[in-house]
Amino acid sequence: MRFLQQKINGNLYRALQGMVLVFFGLFSLPYTALGSSSPWVDEEFSRVRLVTGQETLGDAGKVMLGLQFELKEGWKTYWRSPGDAGFPVSLDLAGSDNLKSWQFFWPVPHRFTLFGLQTFGYSNEVVFPFEVQAEDPTRDVTLRGTASYLLCKEICIPFDAEVAIRIPAGDAFPSLEAGIIDTYIQQVPGLGTETNFGITDSFLEGENEDLILKVYATAKNHEFRNPDMIVEGPPGFSFSAPDVVILDGGGKAEFIIPVSIAKETKGVLEGKQITLSLVEGTKGTELKTVSRYKEIPAGTSIGILEFLPFLGIALLGGFILNLMPCVLPVLSLKLMSVIKHEKTDQQGIRKSFVATSLGILTSFWILAAAASLLKVTGFSVGWGIQFQQPLFLIAMSGIVSLFAANLFGWFEFLAPGGVMNRAVSASEKQGASGDFLKGMFATLLATPCSAPFLGTAVGFALARGTWEIFAIFTFLGIGMSLPYLIVAAKPRLATFLPKPGTWMVWLKGVLGILLLGTVAWLLSVLFVQVGWLATVLVTGLLALGMAVLAVKSLALGKRLFAVSLFSILALAVPYKFSVSADKVSISDYWIPFAQEQIASEVGNGKVVFVDVTADWCITCQVNKKLVLEQEEIQSLLLRKNVLAMQADWTLPSDVITAYLESYNRYGIPFNIIYGPGAPEGIVLSELLTIDEILGAFEQASNK
């Protein structure tokens, strides 16, 4: 067939092909074409059809097709981001048979300018490749759908075209239309062949009306001739056509892009995600990045007046961490040790609280070092993301279980070489080392909490360099240490505590039970990550370890050996038995997070509420119980003009991480409300209130 295609004149070939399609159409369903293309759906200024790259499905049941448009001279249709006007081409295949999934691709667009408006799209002819996967490769796939598109010239006209095609099962065989689909696949960034283009850098300059975005690109084995840079950004920001400077004999290009900010936009562009599309003719490349000002060169410091407010915010955020429920178990342990101090031993009280403060500060310095290292090496960083790792959860469950066993009195002295036992027995041990370890452990358990002001401070730090990270984390540590430092400065405050007595035995039991509650919470988070079987096995091993510790007639060395063996087995469980658990939604108003839908939903007049949460985030659970699950808020989220999206960060997600970073956030909870009156979004406090949400909804709803 390819030989005939080469020999026969193109127009004659298409005529013959049309006759074949008519012939097959007589013996097929009236609405479904069988062959390499569907019939054209003709309109006054355009026509559209489906074409397929294979005559048959093949063993994999996967086929590349194309949605083909032919437009009359002067008319155009639109890209995924149409620009200042228009709406994108869409294809709905909801009525198809034996279709498991499909993915739509966008060839590089072209820029059109009319009356100062910038739009992006296609003229003359375009084919949108899309790949379908059959549910059952041994059965035919019948695609039925609606292609919706807008045609514009001096006027704009919307159209809906009903298209259908059937792809029979059988051994894979290329179709007569494979060539045209391949042509446009080459025009899809990241899907076609290498373009030899690369976007090397981008940064912001200026502010307000003088804000510009500079982008730099290189061309390998190619010379730039007429390149363009298209920028997709958050609602409320628009990007003009770039001034292009060709450098290095055509091997490099600089794009200077003025940025306009809508009057109602109260946010800033810095820290938000943008997509850069480099276009040269029919080739292009894309890069998703976060808009930033140019990094300050090493050795150059920012102004102290700019930095001081964030140090104060960090100090306050660290202090409030003491009031969060995540820190309660360790604070309880500290309370027990303070009660055991002699009230007249003011020097001992002072040393104890200073040691705990140093433990807290040391932990924050370790976190700062880890964040700096991960950032330099290109990894995602964030507050509390270690709770996304099963091994960390298992280790924490084991340590907290040992703390509980210690409070129950099952072991109370150190054995040589017992490192883990040494760490846990710090809850009973007096002296600097025990108090220091309590401070470190308090910080570790505080990381899944996002207190007010904490997110602002951490976001500022992680968006900048190493020394800023260390400075902010140091003040976070000082803030969390403030209660201990106050007692260290005024030891007489400890005299207000009750006298030691038999009641302490009962209190130790209560605190041990509270710690076991913390273990249950950690295991519930583990369940989401590794499934029920692995969680049950880990729980059983932890229970065996505690049972062994309770047998005091057994030598301590043997008990520690058994606990160590159970610990190793527990840490090995995820590697063999891990299966992701299927989470079941507990409400009927949340839908999965889809950032790309937000702008279009807001454009349709809807209010979008986004909740970024995780099972390990205790502050998120507090918000859920006290605010989001209240009847007043639930009825609000169930309104027809409201779309509630939930982004679950219990497991690592690059999409959610990038979304948080676009708002200069590196921890959760994070809640934001978009709407016609606030297209850029209204960021809510870490600790939600019903009044705050109602006020933000009202503001976002009003145009």
Side-chain angles (χ1 to χ4, degrees):
M1 295 299 291
R2 290 185 179 276
F3 175 78
L4 290 175
Q5 185 175 355
Q6 294 173 359
K7 296 296 183 181
I8 300 176
N9 178 272
N11 293 330
L12 178 59
Y13 170 74
R14 290 186 179 275
L16 290 173
Q17 183 185 8
M19 294 173 63
V20 173
L21 291 174
V22 171
F23 174 78
F24 279 109
L26 294 174
F27 297 94
S28 60
L29 296 176
Y31 53 84
T32 303
L34 175 64
S36 59
S37 65
S38 68
W40 286 104
V41 179
D42 291 302
E43 302 291 352
E44 185 176 358
F45 307 107
S46 65
R47 61 178 186 166
V48 59
R49 67 172 181 172
L50 296 177
V51 292
T52 176
Q54 291 178 197
E55 297 283 357
T56 46
L57 282 175
D59 294 337
K62 184 178 292 187
V63 181
M64 185 69 77
L65 294 94
L67 179 64
Q68 182 180 10
F69 286 85
E70 288 186 357
L71 312 178
K72 287 193 175 181
E73 184 68 28
W75 292 86
K76 63 180 181 291
T77 193
Y78 293 94
W79 187 47
R80 68 181 182 216
S81 294
D84 295 330
F87 63 79
V89 170
S90 65
L91 179 62
D92 183 2
L93 296 177
S96 302
D97 296 331
N98 194 29
L99 176 62
K100 180 180 180 181
S101 61
W102 65 290
Q103 186 175 4
F104 196 83
F105 300 103
W106 298 89
V108 293
H110 300 286
R111 184 188 299 268
F112 300 97
T113 303
L114 181 65
F115 303 119
L117 298 178
Q118 305 287 325
T119 58
F120 309 104
Y122 313 91
S123 59
N124 300 323
E125 182 184 60
V126 63
V127 176
F128 297 95
F130 64 98
E131 188 176 58
V132 302
Q133 175 66 58
E135 187 77 37
D136 181 1
T138 64
R139 296 193 297 113
D140 297 356
V141 169
T142 301
L143 300 180
R144 304 184 190 90
T146 303
S148 300
Y149 61 102
L150 182 68
L151 281 185
C152 289
K153 195 176 181 182
E154 285 81 11
I155 61 172
C156 292
I157 309 173
F159 293 99
D160 290 321
E162 302 296 326
V163 291
I165 192 170
R166 183 160 65 91
I167 310 168
D171 295 336
F173 187 77
S175 74
L176 299 175
E177 301 296 342
I180 190 171
I181 296 176
D182 289 340
T183 297
Y184 282 90
I185 286 176
Q186 305 308 312
Q187 299 180 28
V188 176
L191 189 64
T193 56
E194 292 294 328
T195 61
N196 294 321
F197 297 150
I199 299 173
T200 58
D201 194 14
S202 66
F203 54 85
L204 298 170
E205 286 187 355
E207 57 185 11
N208 301 326
E209 293 83 4
D210 299 322
L211 183 64
I212 63 171
L213 174 67
K214 284 189 175 181
V215 183
Y216 293 87
T218 59
K220 185 179 179 181
N221 301 323
H222 181 87
E223 290 185 3
F224 283 121
R225 291 181 174 83
N226 189 27
D228 192 8
M229 184 67 65
I230 301 173
V231 183
E232 298 169 84
F237 298 89
S238 58
F239 304 85
S240 302
D243 292 327
V244 183
V245 180
I246 305 297
L247 306 169
D248 198 18
K252 297 180 180 179
E254 177 188 47
F255 301 87
I256 304 170
I257 306 167
V259 181
S260 299
I261 307 175
K263 291 182 179 179
E264 65 272 14
T265 299
K266 299 179 181 179
V268 295
L269 182 59
E270 183 185 15
K272 292 183 172 62
Q273 183 172 295
I274 57 175
T275 300
L276 306 174
S277 297
L278 172 61
V279 178
E280 172 78 275
T282 60
K283 299 293 183 182
T285 188
E286 288 182 2
L287 175 67
K288 290 188 177 183
T289 185
V290 175
S291 53
R292 303 285 189 204
Y293 282 92
K294 194 168 185 178
E295 291 189 5
I296 301 172
T300 304
S301 60
I302 63 175
I304 189 65
L305 293 179
E306 177 187 354
F307 200 40
L308 280 176
F310 288 96
L311 294 179
I313 290 172
L315 192 71
L316 186 56
F319 175 76
I320 296 176
L321 272 178
N322 290 283
L323 307 178
M324 307 305 290
C326 352
V327 190
L328 178 61
V330 182
L331 289 181
S332 301
L333 293 176
K334 182 62 182 175
L335 175 64
M336 289 296 299
S337 66
V338 171
I339 292 174
K340 290 183 178 181
H341 275 288
E342 293 294 334
K343 297 193 189 300
T344 56
D345 184 16
Q346 296 189 21
Q347 189 66 22
I349 294 175
R350 179 177 286 112
K351 289 181 179 179
S352 172
F353 280 84
V354 169
T356 303
S357 300
L358 288 176
I360 293 172
L361 276 171
T362 301
S363 296
F364 274 97
W365 289 332
I366 292 173
L367 290 173
S372 300
L373 180 62
L374 289 173
K375 188 175 180 182
V376 168
T377 54
F379 288 91
S380 298
V381 291
W383 183 256
I385 60 174
Q386 69 271 26
F387 281 80
Q388 298 173 344
Q389 306 302 323
L391 293 183
F392 176 82
L393 292 170
I394 294 172
M396 288 295 296
S397 298
I399 292 173
V400 177
S401 297
L402 290 173
F403 267 94
N406 183 262
L407 284 174
F408 293 148
W410 295 344
F411 67 100
E412 298 190 2
F413 59 89
L414 297 171
V419 178
M420 184 173 290
N421 188 35
R422 184 180 300 273
V424 176
S425 294
S427 63
E428 288 290 321
K429 180 185 176 183
Q430 302 300 329
S433 61
D435 294 314
F436 182 85
L437 287 172
K438 289 172 192 169
M440 295 192 70
F441 194 65
T443 306
L444 201 57
L445 276 183
T447 52
C449 295
S450 182
F453 306 106
L454 178 70
T456 302
V458 173
F460 174 83
L462 296 182
R464 283 161 174 78
T466 299
W467 84 266
E468 289 98 334
I469 292 176
F470 270 90
I472 291 294
F473 274 61
T474 296
F475 272 75
L476 284 170
I478 294 173
M480 188 172 174
S481 302
L482 275 178
Y484 304 96
L485 294 174
I486 291 172
V487 174
K490 295 289 185 180
R492 291 186 179 276
L493 293 174
T495 61
F496 293 99
L497 296 173
K499 294 181 179 181
T502 56
W503 63 271
M504 292 176 58
V505 177
W506 293 97
L507 181 59
K508 286 176 65 176
V510 172
L511 295 179
I513 293 173
L514 289 176
L515 287 177
L516 290 182
T518 302
V519 174
W521 164 65
L522 291 168
L523 291 174
S524 70
V525 179
L526 181 68
F527 164 73
V528 178
Q529 301 184 9
V530 300
W532 70 269
L533 178 58
T535 305
V536 168
L537 291 174
V538 170
T539 304
L541 289 167
L542 290 176
L544 284 173
M546 294 192 70
V548 169
L549 286 174
V551 182
K552 292 188 177 181
S553 60
L554 192 63
L556 181 60
K558 293 181 178 180
R559 284 188 282 165
L560 291 178
F561 175 79
V563 169
S564 300
L565 179 61
F566 293 146
S567 300
I568 294 172
L569 291 175
L571 291 171
V573 164
Y575 293 101
K576 182 66 176 178
F577 301 100
S578 177
V579 177
S580 295
D582 294 328
K583 296 193 67 177
V584 180
S585 176
I586 60 172
S587 66
D588 55 0
Y589 49 82
W590 293 110
I591 67 169
F593 174 68
Q595 185 178 359
E596 65 278 4
Q597 294 182 15
I598 295 175
S600 60
E601 296 291 349
V602 171
N604 292 330
K606 288 189 176 181
V607 176
V608 180
F609 181 90
V610 177
D611 174 38
V612 185
T613 183
D615 289 351
W616 46 260
C617 171
I618 295 182
T619 314
C620 302
Q621 307 312 315
V622 172
N623 284 337
K624 184 185 299 182
K625 294 296 182 184
L626 299 184
V627 179
L628 296 180
E629 291 183 357
Q630 297 302 306
E631 183 177 353
E632 191 171 5
I633 299 301
Q634 287 187 355
S635 62
L636 182 67
L637 297 179
L638 285 170
R639 292 179 183 175
K640 290 184 178 180
N641 69 323
V642 174
L643 195 65
M645 290 186 178
Q646 192 168 76
D648 193 338
W649 208 32
T650 301
L651 298 175
S653 168
D654 292 338
V655 172
I656 297 176
T657 300
Y659 177 70
L660 290 172
E661 290 178 352
S662 71
Y663 286 91
N664 211 24
R665 290 296 183 93
Y666 296 84
I668 54 176
F670 177 73
N671 299 93
I672 186 170
I673 298 175
Y674 304 87
E680 78 288 350
I682 302 171
V683 178
L684 305 179
S685 305
E686 284 92 345
L687 286 174
L688 297 176
T689 65
I690 292 178
D691 289 341
E692 181 185 24
I693 293 178
L694 294 177
F697 261 91
E698 183 178 357
Q699 180 181 343
S701 301
N702 298 326
K703 293 185 179 180

